[in-house]
Amino acid sequence: MRPHYLSALFAPTSVAMFGASETADSVGQVVFKNLLEGGFEGDIYAINPKRETVQGKKAYPDLDSIGEDVDLAIVATPARTVPAIVEQCGVYGIKSMIILSAGFREVGETGRALEDKVRDAARSYGIRFLGPNCLGLIRPSIGLNATFGNSSASEGGIALVSQSGALCTAILDWAEDRDVGFSAVVSTGIGADLDFGDVLDYLASDTKTSSIILYIEGLQDSRRFMSGLRAASRIKPIIAIKAGRHAEGAEASMSHTGALVGGDEAFSAALARSGVVRVENISQVFAAAGTLGSKYRSSGNRLAIITNAGGPAVLAADHVPEVGLELAELSDETLEALDEVLPETWSHRNPADIIGDAPPERYQAAIDICLQDKGVDGVLVILTPQAMTAPVEVAEAVVTAAETNRKPIITSWMGGVQVNPARAIFRQAKIPTFNTPEAAVDAFHYLAAYKANQSLLLQTPGKLSLHHEEPNIEAARLIIESALNEKRDVLTEPESIALLEAFRIPTVRNGIARSAEEALVLAVSMGFPVAMKIYSEDISHKSDVGGVKLNIRNAGDVRGAYRDLMERVAVKRPDANLLGVTVEQMHRTTNGREVMIGVINDPVFGPVISFGAGGTWVEVMKDAAVALPPLNVRLAKNLIKRTKIAKMLKQFRNMPAANTDSLVDVLLRVSNMACELPWLQEMDINPLILDDSGAVAVDARIVVGVPKPSTDAYAHMAIHPYPTDLESRFQLTDGRDVTIRPIRPEDAEIEQDFIRGLSDEAKYFRFMHAVHELTPEMLVRFTQIDYDREMALIAVTVEDGYEIEHGVVRYVMNPDQNSCEFALVISDEFQGHGIGQRMLKRLMEIARSRGLDLMEGEVLTANHRMLDLVKSMDFQVERSKTNPGVQYVWTEL
């Protein structure tokens, strides 16, 4: 119904600049000069009350003096003047601004107070602004250069979004030398209003943008960031580079932007879960963008290498495992086929060294044969210029091979002057080419990582991914609240074990003894051997104070162990209140592996789950992988696979394979804890003992805290779980069972079939123009939704074991975040059964529960049945002021 709320920012037809100047090398002079020389065809107004003209253009004292509509205002005046300028723009009706001025939160509390005034004024008028303290924005397709950089950008398909303005200018200079073009260059500055999430939301549907590069220093709203990131990544490749990977860099990053930087492992997990490829430096950024911008996509990570020299191939092969790739194992059939076309002296394995005198025909034959191997996902072709080589002719042969093969071909023509013409051929054919073998391997890694991360993006786990006994969330909540009421944030071990048991995680038997006699009774009732641990609300790491005794095998040792523990810990921690000991049954196993599962509440991304090697050596081994909840079986298995200890879970000598299904089950239950317990700040289950019979939690440490108040039960999470609680079922009068549930990414096929099956009239009424089927981009947009800011319910029946879609209703939240736009369509066969009314009523309930107060839509005047439906549900109906033949419908929620 409405243009995107950032349309006036990215596609203005008129621009006014506050602070336009003729003072040499001032921000106002450079920006206005760039505006005039950029080729912008719209109106440009200079606002400077002290001058009659600025750089040959008439100057105006204020907006009212212009007397014409202005889409975008640019501000380059002292920080103290900005609040009044925002007020002036609001009164004039301007909705988009770029605030270049510095002097806000980055200078301290005075600046922060000024920034608050700017933001409050903008919100009161519905203004969205970029900055402050930013370089500005370049939109090459319309000739808009609203920056104070020394260079502009040529037109292309890459959008660059950066928190650092200085980095933007460096990248632009770097790109100009390499003929790299941009669809947009955006400097967000300190992001007082518009941030990554907003900009990504626009770029996701921007037809000028084919891929996106992000330079990230820190985030302020992870949910908004993840929402925009995941939406855009479903449609076009995103490459991210993040500063602050190490502690020193993170500190510099915080002081530079004033934003909170998340843990690097959590950040990597968030990017991977969003389908994004992460790189480490600027040169890799454009290598990744070029590779992902090519025609190639990889189905796996197995690489074959073809070379005319052994040394470079060895370097490439060494780098393969370093970036998580596999050197493809050539099949016997492939080796036999290569034997028939290659000299006897070829390497007879991967890498395939086809000898220094290899002519173009030999290269092409080797490429064709390797790419036909089902165990090969891509080929790296290396050439070193030797006396008998023909770099250009071989390059042409590679291009010919690429025309008949869909698998990726990456090239590395090593050298300089002799191979430059060949590189030009590759660039013309859009075949990725690199100067070094290692860089070429990195390029294939980007393709493999993109494939893997896109599969993670498609996962939409519910808050409960289990099909058996559900957790006792109320009991868990009472345990936590009891501790918090006592002003404790660290749960005792018995409380921690009880919390695990509430989520049906297997634990050892345990009890609390406040005397040696009570300890003896517990030990005898449990059965020997037992472990005894000091029980104190003041001590969380019991081993550090000698508060643990293991393998107590008889009754005679129990009393002595009790006294010894109490006396030893009293000496080491005289300040601690010792309440007794916990007695635990020792878990008996001869082939157990000790692993650790943890949860940490990251300051940016909320709960993060970790898994790795456990036991007392956990900090030395440092074997851990992390993932954002919610998890499902696939994500849990992926988490396990990324650790070193994963190999130890397999059969080894006389040790049977561990029961990884039990481990997955525990990970899913921990994921449920992270979803359902916003109080959870830290948790270690260490060790979790895993053997062939199952998993048992032996010890746990849990830290809790008071979460931020919110009406959203999952406000603490970066990724909203699939809302299983919104599913409902009913029966038609003819006995058919119908399920109404939120849409999922895997519904793409039934959604497409549903649209294809609609009558031409139904399609026209829904889309207001002729549609046969959904484009791939529309299908992604319709099925891969962000449950946090939109909702789509589908009505399905099951026939012969397959779901069939019969209706869909959806809303998308408007930029004001208080209202939403809706759409509804029911299959021709199912109309007249009351399904539309039932689905729309349910959608309104969901929107109301999420704090929305208005639902609106547009209905063609000829769509009488739809108009009758909304009228029956108390919608107001008015003739659209902008679209003839369309009725505007709305209702308060």
Side-chain angles (χ1 to χ4, degrees), residues 559-765:
R559 288 192 179 94
Y562 183 92
R563 287 191 297 272
D564 187 42
L565 284 171
M566 296 293 286
E567 292 171 0
R568 185 191 308 172
V569 176
V571 172
K572 292 191 174 183
R573 284 291 305 274
D575 59 313
N577 181 23
L578 307 184
L579 303 175
V581 303
T582 58
V583 181
E584 296 177 0
Q585 186 179 39
M586 293 286 293
H587 182 63
R588 300 182 182 91
T589 180
T590 58
N591 52 53
R593 287 79 152 177
E594 292 189 344
V595 300
M596 186 184 81
I597 297 175
V599 176
I600 186 72
N601 189 19
D602 183 81
V604 173
F605 294 104
V608 179
I609 297 173
S610 67
F611 168 76
T616 56
W617 293 90
V618 60
E619 293 185 13
V620 177
M621 296 290 290
K622 293 184 177 178
D623 172 35
V626 302
L628 298 186
L631 301 179
N632 59 15
V633 171
R634 180 169 180 174
L635 293 171
K637 288 183 175 179
N638 177 270
L639 178 61
I640 297 167
K641 182 182 178 182
R642 291 186 281 120
T643 61
K644 297 174 185 176
I645 201 172
K647 295 180 180 179
M648 295 179 61
L649 304 182
K650 299 176 182 178
Q651 183 177 355
F652 179 72
R653 293 183 179 175
N654 295 326
M655 186 178 289
N659 187 335
T660 52
D661 288 342
S662 296
L663 176 58
V664 168
D665 187 77
V666 173
L667 283 168
L668 295 182
R669 294 177 185 279
V670 169
S671 172
N672 290 335
M673 293 180 73
C675 292
E676 301 301 323
L677 302 178
W679 305 270
L680 201 60
Q681 300 298 307
E682 298 177 33
M683 181 174 77
D684 289 343
I685 303 177
N686 183 30
L688 179 80
I689 297 181
L690 184 68
D691 59 20
D692 55 323
S693 62
V696 176
V698 174
D699 200 353
R701 177 180 182 271
I702 296 176
V703 180
V704 295
V706 179
K708 294 179 180 179
S710 175
T711 57
D712 180 2
Y714 305 107
H716 62 296
M717 303 181 67
I719 300 175
H720 200 290
Y722 176 79
T724 52
D725 55 308
L726 300 183
E727 295 180 352
S728 62
R729 292 168 180 81
F730 69 99
Q731 195 172 72
L732 296 176
T733 54
D734 61 10
R736 283 183 289 182
D737 293 320
V738 179
T739 297
I740 297 177
R741 60 168 177 80
I743 203 165
R744 297 189 295 253
E746 52 265 40
D747 293 323
E749 185 175 347
I750 65 171
E751 172 79 355
Q752 185 71 281
D753 289 342
F754 168 68
I755 297 298
R756 287 172 180 160
L758 293 174
S759 65
D760 291 341
E761 182 184 61
K763 291 175 186 175
Y764 186 75
F765 282 163

Side-chain angles (χ1 to χ4, degrees), residues 374-644:
K374 293 181 180 179
V376 173
D377 299 311
V379 167
L380 165 57
V381 185
I382 301 173
L383 180 142
T384 61
Q386 301 178 31
M388 63 290 288
T389 55
V392 169
E393 289 77 4
V394 174
E396 292 171 344
V398 171
V399 172
T400 301
E403 292 173 352
T404 57
N405 287 287
R406 298 185 63 183
K407 292 181 181 179
I409 298 175
I410 313 293
T411 64
S412 176
W413 261 223
M414 301 179 68
V417 175
Q418 295 184 56
V419 298
N420 281 336
R423 289 174 182 156
I425 291 172
F426 289 136
R427 284 193 288 269
Q428 182 68 26
K430 298 191 181 302
I431 294 175
T433 186
F434 300 90
N435 295 352
T436 66
E438 294 91 343
V441 171
D442 285 340
F444 185 71
H445 159 66
Y446 305 143
L447 290 173
Y450 183 69
K451 165 69 175 177
N453 293 350
Q454 284 288 306
S455 69
L456 296 180
L457 174 64
L458 292 175
Q459 304 305 306
T460 53
K463 59 181 181 179
L464 295 174
S465 298
L466 308 173
H467 300 290
H468 31 278
E469 196 172 7
E470 293 189 0
N472 189 339
I473 298 174
E474 179 63 18
R477 183 181 63 80
L478 291 174
I479 292 170
I480 293 172
E481 289 183 348
S482 176
L484 292 175
N485 288 337
E486 296 175 8
K487 308 300 182 184
R488 291 187 291 114
D489 56 6
V490 179
L491 302 188
T492 64
E493 184 177 353
E495 288 171 332
S496 297
I497 293 295
L499 204 67
L500 299 184
E501 290 175 344
F503 278 80
R504 317 308 180 192
I505 295 173
T507 62
V508 294
R509 289 183 61 192
N510 71 92
I512 301 171
R514 301 180 187 274
S515 68
E517 287 69 25
E518 288 182 6
L520 178 60
V521 172
L522 283 172
V524 171
S525 65
M526 290 177 186
F528 294 97
V530 297
M532 296 174 64
K533 305 175 185 178
I534 200 70
Y535 175 45
S536 171
E537 295 174 354
D538 303 319
I539 301 172
S540 57
H541 293 292
K542 298 171 285 294
S543 297
D544 294 348
V545 295
V548 178
K549 280 186 174 291
L550 305 176
N551 287 310
I552 301 170
R553 296 187 174 279
N554 56 66
D557 292 339
V558 173
R559 288 192 179 94
Y562 183 92
R563 287 191 297 272
D564 187 42
L565 284 171
M566 296 293 286
E567 292 171 0
R568 185 191 308 172
V569 176
V571 172
K572 292 191 174 183
R573 284 291 305 274
D575 59 313
N577 181 23
L578 307 184
L579 303 175
V581 303
T582 58
V583 181
E584 296 177 0
Q585 186 179 39
M586 293 286 293
H587 182 63
R588 300 182 182 91
T589 180
T590 58
N591 52 53
R593 287 79 152 177
E594 292 189 344
V595 300
M596 186 184 81
I597 297 175
V599 176
I600 186 72
N601 189 19
D602 183 81
V604 173
F605 294 104
V608 179
I609 297 173
S610 67
F611 168 76
T616 56
W617 293 90
V618 60
E619 293 185 13
V620 177
M621 296 290 290
K622 293 184 177 178
D623 172 35
V626 302
L628 298 186
L631 301 179
N632 59 15
V633 171
R634 180 169 180 174
L635 293 171
K637 288 183 175 179
N638 177 270
L639 178 61
I640 297 167
K641 182 182 178 182
R642 291 186 281 120
T643 61
K644 297 174 185 176

Side-chain angles (χ1 to χ4, degrees), residues 12 37 65 69 108 246 283 404 433 614 873 875:
E37 295 179 355
S65 303
D69 290 340
H246 305 293
S283 62
T404 57
T433 186
M873 300 183 70
F875 276 74

Side-chain angles (χ1 to χ4, degrees), residues 168-228:
C168 281
T169 59
I171 288 178
L172 287 174
D173 189 58
W174 189 93
E176 185 177 5
D177 188 47
R178 289 160 177 80
D179 195 28
V180 175
F182 295 88
S183 61
V185 177
V186 184
S187 166
T188 63
I190 59 178
D193 179 36
L194 295 176
D195 207 341
F196 282 110
D198 303 282
V199 176
L200 285 166
D201 189 80
Y202 180 85
L203 295 176
S205 56
D206 178 36
T207 57
K208 303 291 185 182
T209 299
S210 57
S211 61
I212 302 169
I213 295 173
L214 305 178
Y215 171 77
I216 306 165
E217 291 180 343
L219 298 175
Q220 299 171 73
D221 185 346
S222 65
R223 177 69 73 83
R224 181 67 179 151
F225 171 74
M226 292 292 286
S227 174

Side-chain angles (χ1 to χ4, degrees), residues 330-344 346 348 352 354 361-362 364-373:
L330 302 180
S331 67
D332 291 340
E333 292 79 7
T334 297
L335 293 172
E336 291 174 3
L338 289 172
D339 283 339
E340 293 180 5
V341 299
L342 298 180
E344 290 183 3
W346 83 281
H348 298 281
I354 62 175
E361 297 78 12
R362 191 185 300 170
Q364 185 173 341
I367 294 170
D368 288 336
I369 292 169
C370 287
L371 288 178
Q372 290 172 18
D373 192 322

Side-chain angles (χ1 to χ4, degrees), residues 58 166 293 298 322 325 339 627 662 676 693 760 795 844 876 892:
K58 179 181 178 181
S298 177
E322 292 175 350
L325 300 175
D339 283 339
S662 296
E676 301 301 323
S693 62
D760 291 341
M844 293 168 65
Q876 302 298 310
E892 294 182 354

